[in-house]
Amino acid sequence: MARNMHQAFAGATLVGETQDRRQRFSLLLLNLEEYYFEQHTANHVQHKGSRYERKIRGSLKICSKSVIFEPDAISQPIIKIPLRDCIKIGKHGENGANRHFTKAVSGGISLIFSQVYFIKEHNIVAPYKIERGTMEYVFELDVSGKVEDVVETLLQLHRASCLDKLGDQTAMITAILQSRLARTSFDKNRFQSVSEKLHMECKAEMVTPLVTNPGHVCITDTNLYFQPLNGYPKPMVQITLHDVRRIYKRRHGLMPLGLEVFCTEDDPCSDVYLKFYERQDRDDLYFYIATYLEHHVAERTAEGCTLQWQRGLLSNYQYLLHLNTLADRSCNDLSQYPVFPWVVGDYSSSELDLSNPGTFRDLSKPVGALNKERLERLLTRYREMPEPKFMYGSHYSSPGYVLFYLVRIAPEYMLCLQNGRFDNADRMFNSIAETWKNCLDGATDFKELIPEFYGDDVSFLVNSLKLDLGKRQGGQMVDDVELPPWARSPEDFLQKSRDALESDYVSEHLHEWIDLVFGCKQKGRNAVGAHNVFHPLTYEGGVNLNSIEDPDEKVAMLTQILEFGQTPKQLFVTPHPRRITPKFKSLSQPSSYSASTADSPGEESFEDLTEESRTLAWSNITRLRPHEQHKIHKEAVTGIAVSRSGSSVFTTSQDSTLKMFSKESKMLQRSISFSNMALSSCLLLPGDATVVSSSWDNNVYFYSIAFGRRQDTLMGHDDAVSKICWHDNRLYSASWDSTVKVWSGVPAEMPGSRRHQFDLLAELEHDVGVDTISLNAASTLLVSGTKEGTVTIWDLTAAAILHQIPCHSGTVCDTAFSPDSRHVLSAGEDGCLNVVDVQTGMLMSSMTSDEPQRCFLWDGNSVLAGSQSGELLVWDLLGGKIRERIQGHTGAVTCMWMNEQCSGVITGGEDRQIMFWKLQY
């Protein structure tokens, strides 16, 4: 990580005599949902008017539910007086406070109250001290002319705090806040440059863990600004638009009002998180920044990250961070903090054996289902429960759980969440093993982990702040977290946890946990089957706050939801693809293929050399350059086939001819016409004795090279044949008649037989015309692309559909399997290149160009595509970008062929030419 995730908590956990006064106050001293409005330099006058009178210099802060006085001297505690506990508020006069204020010149404000909190005495973070009983405090403002205004404000806020109903309190405070925001505006004198042009200004709140800070947002042609209403913690937050790398729309408080801005690629901590009062303001600002970013990827898709993870470009840790970010999880929102899985299940052994599957937790089950006996009890209750039913009464991620883990680095957050108290010492995060055992056995404990367990900062495990977190029943003080026997130190614990997360076992099973938390088993029938059902309020859309009219009920509901925890936004509705690990690398390779290469040492070494040359060629594919070109047709070239020796090139064209071209003599050797209709594709049968061509006249033609004549005609379709493939003595033909047909034929090595005997083995029916087909390496799978943009993956052994994916808006121009048969790539008329996972049918990645890619070749990672403009484009699929544009044809590139070593390419185009390409190392 570029920066530490603990930065989200920066500034609130600092202790020690060396700090200056400004670092003592924090918004965490406020109650939840409370606002800090203004501050005034003042004296706290003790024993006013007596010979013991004493003045303590400091700052008086007016908040929506309390008055806070922060003394300059850190030896003095911060004073917090809740407004609801005030009995009288007034201007201090000779006869004490009264509501008709006498004209005193002292500038004093008198508060008579029944309860006061003392916080951070000597700047030590500790539970708040409370003093009860009727007492009076007097504060003298430096600017006495402001006393009446401050008293008026306090009386108004006091009235709000004393309202019976929580909803009415919230409504009145909101009205006061909005009135203050309306009376102020963004200070344009703070622009970085006088030449900046204002684009929009609106009201919003900056979100940090547990607190929000209201103010004004302003965006110009070069900067994004946030100006807090109270000037805290600094008068201005400024982000240069040029530095922005990612922006995400967020749910905040279940409402679509949040926007998070990142100036880094991979850091989980954002640079600013804003919550708007109007959705339109949020959307307008998002659109402006996204437009400014132009070629930057404004929002990453889950599918694009999935492809990178599956191919090994992202670690398990990085991928989980990406998914959390995409699912509305943020370090700035403790009710939606990033969630990570427990992966290790052994916290008692002296050594951690990552080669033993028994070391790990079962990632296919939620924490609540790991203990069979506990699950049975929960299911019994679930079956007897009235609707809406749920299996688990608490969630796997909530503000309380996050701070349970982070109390040693974020004690002030715990104090804020728990009204100035730490949790009971025996319920603290005392031991890893103890916590895991409680998650397995506890009646209401189903919590997962947080990213810190797989990071590199050990501070959350160590009581380096020397906090007094209480004494346990056995008498020992709560100090550092007790580690399992296999960890020699906190650093070793985190290193071994990271190793476990990146282990082969977890890589092979992480997709199962993703299904539970972010995917298809998160809700609905699949969640019930996976024993993964939580309280309805935790799910997105589980309650519509706008439909609740009673303000009291709405506030209570929102508070309950935020404190209880929220389920991530669902990212996947189909099963999540498995990661490609060494164990599963050749999962889709046929066993006969593996056996045949192993039989002969000579063949195996040749295969290795070929594979090496392919890898080298594809890594240098941007160095492909045109070598020679020949105009041999009168219309667009539609197909290319090359003899095994490479000496003869066969091409088909819309001019209805099949041509045979000699690469050596650079001469056209034959031109054959079967009908006056266009030919759409061609292939050479094994043995190089027969060329097969498909035609728009509904037929497939077999041409004998040796005899120089048409050998046979297959009249197999009711409309144009668009594409043909051949493998293992079977012909596959695609047609505009909405079918793909599979035919058996006499072995091609018998050119003497006059006619091929074809039998129809299977008919794969589509809703519309089929434009392209392709086989996987083993010919067990076929992919087809239709005129309406649908990509269908077929299991040829059963002649059944595996997946049907509406991929493109318009015709699918080309499709192909990756060499390992794990993915399908399709190119469409809409300019998109889409990657689909074969196992799950998930659309993994989609990249768009400004023109159609008519044909392509790929190695699973890089794509060489022929474009409508005639250029060859090299795409980096995993990076999601075009690496190179190579000038080629003067019209669209319509077909491509590549040799086995991937070092030579031939293309055909609408310019009637064939072009020979070579890699120039």
Side-chain angles (χ1 to χ4, degrees), residues 606-870:
F606 175 74
E607 275 294 323
D608 290 345
L609 286 171
T610 305
E611 187 56 44
E612 204 172 299
S613 70
R614 285 179 190 141
T615 305
L616 181 65
W618 274 104
S619 64
N620 289 281
I621 203 75
T622 54
R623 300 183 182 190
L624 202 64
R625 295 295 177 265
H627 177 55
E628 54 188 78
Q629 57 197 65
H630 305 276
K631 188 174 284 190
I632 59 172
H633 283 283
K634 294 177 181 176
E635 296 289 343
V637 183
T638 57
I640 300 170
V642 181
S643 62
R644 221 171 150 69
S645 65
S647 59
S648 296
V649 178
F650 297 86
T651 58
T652 50
S653 167
Q654 286 184 7
D655 65 10
S656 80
T657 63
L658 166 68
K659 307 272 190 184
M660 179 176 171
F661 180 84
S662 169
K663 195 177 174 192
E664 271 76 24
S665 66
K666 303 185 186 348
M667 298 284 286
L668 186 62
Q669 293 183 318
R670 296 186 198 178
S671 181
I672 307 103
S673 188
F674 304 113
S675 74
N676 61 357
M677 298 283 280
L679 296 177
S680 56
S681 68
C682 63
L683 56 85
L684 267 168
L685 296 189
D688 288 355
T690 305
V691 186
V692 190
S693 304
S694 56
S695 172
W696 284 8
D697 68 3
N698 310 356
N699 297 330
V700 178
Y701 295 101
F702 292 77
Y703 175 80
S704 169
I705 299 166
F707 292 97
R709 65 169 185 249
R710 181 173 61 180
Q711 199 173 341
D712 202 355
T713 303
L714 173 64
M715 294 178 283
H717 288 278
D718 300 322
D719 204 338
V721 183
S722 53
K723 182 83 182 281
I724 51 173
C725 298
W726 179 281
H727 186 273
D728 202 14
N729 207 31
R730 289 187 180 180
L731 176 72
Y732 304 82
S733 57
S735 170
W736 296 352
D737 67 6
S738 306
T739 66
V740 173
K741 293 183 177 179
V742 185
W743 312 85
S744 70
V746 172
E749 285 76 12
M750 298 169 63
S753 59
R754 171 73 181 88
R755 301 182 66 81
H756 286 71
Q757 299 301 313
F758 284 102
D759 295 317
L760 181 62
L761 298 179
E763 188 169 324
L764 314 178
E765 294 188 358
H766 297 68
D767 295 330
V768 292
V770 183
D771 253 37
T772 182
I773 54 170
S774 182
L775 297 167
N776 73 334
S779 289
T780 52
L781 303 173
L782 178 143
V783 58
S784 58
T786 70
K787 288 184 175 297
E788 290 188 353
T790 300
V791 169
T792 308
I793 300 172
W794 298 83
D795 175 2
L796 290 175
T797 57
I801 293 175
L802 283 180
H803 306 289
Q804 201 162 39
I805 310 105
C807 272
H808 299 275
S809 55
T811 301
V812 181
C813 300
D814 201 2
T815 58
F817 286 90
S818 57
D820 62 6
S821 300
R822 289 192 165 273
H823 297 121
V824 160
L825 180 65
S826 63
E829 215 173 37
D830 54 6
C832 287
L833 280 178
N834 292 331
V835 181
V836 172
D837 182 73
V838 172
Q839 181 200 2
T840 62
M842 180 190 288
L843 181 64
M844 305 271 293
S845 170
S846 185
M847 294 183 300
T848 309
S849 62
D850 50 10
E851 58 179 342
Q853 308 296 298
R854 295 282 295 273
C855 53
F856 64 82
L857 301 162
W858 75 313
D859 71 339
N861 297 322
S862 297
V863 181
L864 180 67
S867 69
Q868 183 73 27
S869 64

Side-chain angles (χ1 to χ4, degrees), residues 524-544:
R525 201 178 308 165
N526 289 340
V528 175
H531 303 132
N532 195 38
V533 182
F534 295 86
H535 195 285
L537 288 181
T538 67
Y539 294 96
E540 184 177 24
V543 62
N544 181 4

Side-chain angles (χ1 to χ4, degrees), residues 130-143:
I130 305 172
E131 191 174 313
R132 294 184 175 90
T134 304
M135 56 200 100
E136 179 183 15
Y137 278 11
V138 177
F139 301 98
E140 286 183 354
L141 304 189
D142 279 15
V143 182

Side-chain angles (χ1 to χ4, degrees), residues 186 188 191 196-201 217-221:
F186 185 86
K188 294 172 184 63
F191 280 174
E196 277 186 73
K197 294 191 178 90
L198 174 68
H199 178 71
M200 71 173 281
E201 180 184 343
V217 169
C218 182
I219 191 162
T220 69
D221 54 344

